[in-house]
Structures are given as structure tokens and as C-alpha cells.
Amino acid sequence: MYSSSLADAPVVREPLHVPVARLVRGGLTEGVHHGSVVVLDADGQVALQLGDIEAAFYPRSALKPVQAVAMVRAGLPLEGELLSLAAASHSGEERHLDGARRILALAGVTEDDLRNVPDLPYGPVVRDAWVREGQPPSRLAQNCSGKHAAMLYTCVLNGWSLEDYLDPRHPLQQAIAEIVEDLTGQRIARVSVDGCGAPLFAVSLHGLARAAARITTAAPGTPEARVADAVREHAEMASGAGRDVAALMRAVPGLLAKDGFEGVEVAALPDGRAIAVKIADGADRARVPVAAAALARAGVDPSLLTGFAGMPLLGGGRPVGSLGPVAALDPAGPAAPSDGSERAPAGVCA
């Protein structure tokens, strides 16, 4: 299905995004979200593309399952909810903080060894309670603490230094970069720093979807399958109560999904069908319905996705419009243009 050789790094350019979602009020287009979308079939071929799926971009936290696979390949023995937490952008609930503490204890280190940026909990409800109680930002509460705790554990197991585990030249980060290239099937285009302080690797949207498919189609017991099973079985550990990405995995049997800041989402099914979405302006309100529409184009039963179609637009407290994906993403609509562009419906100016 996939070649073992690596393609060149994706080209670094301003992505050629196209309209992927429209906000319609009273029959008029009030707003347009641009972005890019790729849908892969079970054979790994591009079944649909909108926008620029080959330009280099930063997947942000959507890459965390790949990072977790790299750590498991390097000997990380976590399973179940703790392995899910290692791939998490968690909400900062007590179960998340307790899980991170458990990983640190297994490693024989403490919260002081973490090098992620101190922050308030990501979940609004948890964050509000944290502020009311007068608690300061902490490394444990920051949404990537599970990943960082797992990084420390991986370093301890391999005898690697702890103080500089976020340095791109560190053996841990070199091992992660190698697996990013392996699973995406392409060289890394750029290396930067993510919000938590960890190295961030630029790949293409196409490569991100390919990596997710590689993870979900891996043989049972492999590092890829262990990560996929852990995240799917403990979806709220990888996110939090009420989070859309966990709800999506609950709604679609066998689906592995991960969101990322700046409007990124990747998802894959056990047979290798996969989607990846990038919303140019980073808007979650567009990410969710566009990802759901892409999954429908991948063959997921649309009835499973009705809760992710987007919120109605209200005027005076009553529905007067909606935010929804463009026609090219309608599973019953026309196929997307072969050049990846998106044609506006007649009478609508994109």
C-alpha cells in the first residue's frame, strides 16, 4: 500500500488554500473559511483534495499520535489510558493530572523535570475552577504534560539526558523525527518549536493523512496499533469531557482522530481510509464540520456525523443561517475539481 522509500520534503510556500466552509445568514454568504482537505481511500490513493495538500505546514498537536508511536518504538511500555495520555492535548481534568503524575512516578522523576511551558488547564470549565481557586499556571496542568512525562520516561529507559530532552538534536527528538518521516513517507521540511516547547516538524497535509492511515492499519501488537487502540479506547484521556474529537471517536466505530491548534484535524479508519484538514484561519467552528464532511466523503455513514455538522447561526435567538462545508465536500454532491480548487455555486461569490 505504501512505499518504503521517502519522498522529498514538501515544498515550503504560502499554502494555496481554497474555500472549505461558508457562513450563510438569511441566504447570503456572510463569511468564508479557507483551508485544505485531503481524503485517502483504503489503498492510500487520494480520493478527494481541496486546496493545497502538498505544501509544508505544521500539524501541531495532530502529530501527537506519531510522536507516541516513536516513543513506544523506543521502548515506552505504557498501555491503555496512560498511553492515550502520552498522545493527548488534555483538558487538565484531575484524571489527566493524576495520569501525568503516574507516568512521572514510573520514570522516577518529578514535575520539576518537565520542560513544557506552565499554563492553566485547557478545558474552560476546569480552567475557570482553577482560577477561582487561585491556582497558578503549572507544567502539569498544561495540555501537553502527558506527552512530556512520556518523553521523560522514554529518556530514562534509554539512558538519555533529561535536562535537554526538547533539543532537536537530542536522541529522543531525533528518534521522533525519524518516525515522523517513516510514517508520513516524506522528509521533514522545517523544524520549529511548538507552543509547549517541543520540536515541531513540518510535513504536508497529505503526509499527515498517510501517517494516520499507517497507524490504524498496522498489525496488532505493533507500536502503531498500541497507540491507536489506546487513544480509541480512552478517547477522553487523549482530550477531555465534552471535547469534539472524543465525541467523534465515540460516534464512528474504529475511528482514530486527533485535533491540533490552528484548525488541524486528522482521522483514519481501520481499513486505511483517512482524512486531514487544515483551516487557514485556525477556526475550530470550521474545523469540526469540514472534518465531518470529509469523513462522509471517505464513506462514513453520514447519520453518524449529524452531531458534527456545525452549529446553527442565530439571529434574535432563532436560527437564521448556518456554517457548513462547501458543496465539493457534500457526499451526495459533485466531485471536487481535479486541480484541487473549489468552484463556488452559481450566484455565490467566494
Side-chain angles (χ1 to χ4, degrees):
M1 183 187 302
Y2 298 99
S3 171
S4 60
S5 60
L6 291 179
D8 290 339
V11 61
V12 175
R13 65 183 175 216
E14 184 170 336
L16 307 173
H17 293 308
V18 300
V20 293
R22 289 191 172 88
L23 185 70
V24 177
R25 181 189 297 269
L28 296 178
T29 298
E30 185 175 41
V32 178
H33 290 283
H34 289 68
S36 295
V37 180
V38 62
V39 177
L40 302 183
D41 64 21
D43 293 324
Q45 301 301 309
V46 176
L48 179 144
Q49 70 177 80
L50 294 178
D52 197 345
I53 69 170
E54 303 297 352
F57 90 117
Y58 292 120
R60 303 298 299 273
S61 287
L63 200 62
K64 282 179 178 174
V66 177
Q67 293 171 307
V69 168
M71 287 187 278
V72 174
R73 286 195 188 184
L76 184 69
L78 300 178
E79 301 285 353
E81 62 179 8
L82 294 186
L83 182 53
S84 181
L85 185 62
S89 300
H90 65 70
S91 292
E93 299 162 18
E94 184 52 41
R95 58 179 159 178
H96 300 131
L97 275 59
D98 178 66
R101 294 187 191 101
R102 287 161 60 192
I103 297 173
L104 292 172
L106 287 169
V109 297
T110 71
E111 182 179 351
D112 291 338
D113 294 296
L114 293 170
R115 293 292 180 266
N116 57 320
V117 178
D119 200 359
L120 297 174
Y122 177 70
V125 174
V126 186
R127 183 172 60 247
D128 289 348
W130 195 275
V131 172
R132 284 196 303 271
E133 295 166 4
Q135 298 192 64
S138 80
R139 298 185 192 277
L140 204 63
Q142 197 268 337
N143 77 88
C144 301
S145 65
K147 177 183 76 175
H148 282 255
M151 286 181 170
L152 285 170
Y153 194 7
T154 305
C155 289
V156 168
L157 292 167
N158 285 278
W160 296 332
S161 60
L162 303 184
E163 297 80 7
D164 59 343
Y165 74 91
L166 295 183
D167 190 319
R169 297 164 296 183
H170 190 279
L172 170 68
Q173 302 304 334
Q174 291 290 304
I176 290 174
E178 180 180 345
I179 303 309
V180 169
E181 293 189 333
D182 177 31
L183 294 182
T184 62
Q186 61 190 174
R187 302 290 182 187
I188 292 167
R190 292 281 174 88
V191 180
S192 186
V193 182
D194 210 340
C196 66
L200 182 60
F201 306 107
V203 294
S204 69
L205 199 65
H206 188 181
L208 179 64
R210 190 161 46 229
R214 291 279 302 277
I215 291 172
T216 58
T217 58
T222 60
E224 293 88 339
R226 286 169 55 190
V227 170
D229 290 344
V231 174
R232 288 184 294 216
E233 293 169 13
H234 303 275
E236 285 79 13
M237 201 67 169
S239 53
R243 295 273 291 279
D244 61 81
V245 70
L248 186 62
M249 285 189 277
R250 297 295 184 209
V252 181
L255 185 72
L256 173 70
K258 185 68 186 76
D259 54 348
F261 280 164
E262 297 303 323
V264 182
E265 182 142 348
V266 65
L269 292 154
D271 64 2
R273 287 174 291 159
I275 66 102
V277 170
K278 165 62 181 175
I279 305 301
D281 63 2
D284 274 353
R285 73 174 189 176
R287 171 184 60 80
V288 177
V290 169
L295 285 169
R297 286 302 298 255
V300 173
D301 183 349
S303 68
L304 301 176
L305 302 167
T306 54
F308 307 93
M311 298 296 292
L313 179 66
L314 302 180
R318 61 184 180 86
V320 295
S322 62
L323 172 71
V326 295
L329 284 167
D330 184 345
S338 59
D339 63 359
S341 63
E342 195 281 323
R343 299 187 183 99
V348 176
C349 178

